[in-house]
Each structure stands twice: as structure tokens, then as C-alpha cells.
Amino acid sequence: MTISEMMNKLIGVLSEKRYNHSIGVMEEACKLAAHYQADVRKAEIAGLLHDCAKHIGEQDAFLMLRRYGEEPDEIQKASFQLLHGLLGYYIAKEQYGVNDEEILRAIYWHTTGKAGMNLLEKIIFVADYIEPGRVFDGLDEIRKTAYSDLDLCVQLCADSTIRYVLSKGRLLHPLTIETRNDMIMKRLIGSMPKNKLAE
Ligand code: FE
Ligand code: FE
């Protein structure tokens, strides 16, 4: 499927707002990929399709995931919005003909992130946050770091999610904490003298 074929399909299933967000993420992901010398073509597809399962309702999402052999954890079961990344992996593969595992995995992990994300996964995670259509407090600060320190930006995005979830009294998925800690650990290890690392 070409990008424009994917767009045509996506516009038919997503709300206008979600579709525009997807285009914003695609454009931001391309810019980030070019900036960090990642594969721009992969970033384009992953950005466009990252929310391709967002329109699927709770019951269908559970049924479909079960069919694909995915067993959502307790927190994912209780806050079902967390499932659209997982489901997006399968929808992108089956309905949009994406076979590239790297693209699919970037879609899979985009909501919570995880420890040990690769460059494309970080780019999609960040692009989802900072695309031009987004407006929320503290976003300027996050946007500033995206093109200077991607790891710090990932951390700030996770911080922002955690703050938001806390302010709403909602469940916090441990993967969001792992995403944040992973970035901080990387920085700590990077700044530690070699003899300390050997201990
Ligand atoms: Fe999403
Ligand atoms: Fe999104």
C-alpha cells in the first residue's frame, strides 16, 4: 500500500481530529528521523498509522487482541485506551500491509514506551507528544528538547504523562515509569567514571 492509499483508508475510519493528529505525528516523525538520521520512510508510515486502532471499541479490542494471542495486563484491562498501540501493530500489519517489524513495534509501544526503546520507537513516542496540533501546559519546554536531546525529551514526555495521570487520579502503567527511568539511568551511566561502572 502506498502512503496515499493508507491515508485514504485511515480517513475513512478515524475521526477528523484523530486523522489530523495522525498527519501531524507523521510530519513530526519525518522531521525527527531526518534530524537523527533514522529511516524517514519508516518514520512516515509508523507516524501515520500509530493510532490506526484508536477507533476500535473496548469489547472488539479485547476480542481481537485475544485472537492475536495478546493477553493484556490488569492495568491495560482497566484502562483500555492503553490497548490501541498493541492492537495497532496487528491492524497495521493486516489491514495496511505493513510487514516491517521495526515500524510495527514503534506502533506497538507508542502509548507507554518501554525500557530500551530503539531510535524509531523514541521518535514515534516523542512525535505523538509534540506534533503541531497538540496544546498543553509545558509542551514548549518538551518541544525545545526534541531536536537537541531525544532521550531527555522521551523522559519529559513520560514525566508529563505521569503528572497528568496523577492529576486525574487514574491508573499509571509501570511501563511509563520504566520509560522514564531508562532515560535517566542511561544518563547516569553515561556520566559515571569507568571504574565506578566496573563495581
Ligand atoms: Fe496513541
Ligand atoms: Fe497519537
Side-chain angles (χ1 to χ4, degrees):
M1 227 185 242
T2 63
I3 281 280
S4 58
E5 284 169 339
M6 289 176 186
M7 285 176 179
N8 282 336
K9 196 173 161 73
L10 206 59
I11 207 167
V13 291
L14 296 184
S15 68
E16 193 183 341
K17 189 173 167 230
R18 182 66 48 187
Y19 178 76
N20 290 338
H21 162 70
S22 301
I23 298 293
V25 175
M26 175 185 78
E27 288 170 357
E28 196 72 53
C30 286
K31 279 206 286 185
L32 284 163
H35 183 80
Y36 289 107
Q37 275 129 48
D39 189 321
V40 175
R41 173 83 188 153
K42 289 188 186 192
E44 185 180 31
I45 297 171
L48 178 67
L49 295 181
H50 79 288
D51 276 344
C52 71
K54 194 82 180 187
H55 62 293
I56 296 169
E58 186 161 357
Q59 280 200 329
D60 286 340
F62 282 118
L63 284 172
M64 289 168 89
L65 281 170
R66 186 143 312 143
R67 194 150 37 84
Y68 294 123
E70 291 277 348
E71 191 43 63
D73 62 40
E74 292 307 310
I75 297 176
Q76 287 167 332
K77 280 182 193 159
S79 48
F80 117 96
Q81 313 88 283
L82 290 171
L83 293 174
H84 74 277
L86 280 66
L87 197 51
Y89 175 105
Y90 299 96
I91 301 284
K93 196 172 183 166
E94 288 192 353
Q95 297 183 19
Y96 293 83
V98 178
N99 286 309
D100 185 293
E101 274 297 315
E102 213 190 334
I103 296 174
L104 295 171
R105 283 173 175 279
I107 296 173
Y108 189 96
W109 294 111
H110 86 266
T111 311
T112 55
K114 61 163 182 162
M117 282 199 284
N118 66 25
L119 181 56
L120 187 65
E121 286 160 352
K122 287 179 197 169
I123 285 173
I124 300 304
F125 182 81
V126 163
D128 191 19
Y129 248 88
I130 67 164
E131 62 95 359
R134 290 267 202 211
V135 227
F136 58 84
D137 277 352
L139 189 53
D140 283 350
E141 171 79 24
I142 296 177
R143 281 200 177 110
K144 263 185 231 156
T145 61
Y147 290 85
S148 58
D149 187 339
L150 189 62
D151 284 357
L152 179 60
C153 189
V154 168
Q155 182 199 322
L156 295 178
C157 292
D159 285 352
S160 167
T161 298
I162 292 167
R163 266 194 292 269
Y164 177 77
V165 166
L166 292 184
S167 78
K168 297 280 175 191
R170 293 194 192 146
L171 282 164
L172 174 55
H173 199 284
L175 278 169
T176 306
I177 302 173
E178 285 176 31
T179 301
R180 173 181 191 270
N181 285 349
D182 185 45
M183 294 302 115
I184 298 175
M185 286 298 279
K186 254 180 92 175
R187 208 161 48 238
L188 287 175
I189 289 168
S191 66
M192 244 182 230
K194 284 219 168 57
N195 56 350
K196 261 275 184 215
L197 285 174
E199 273 170 19

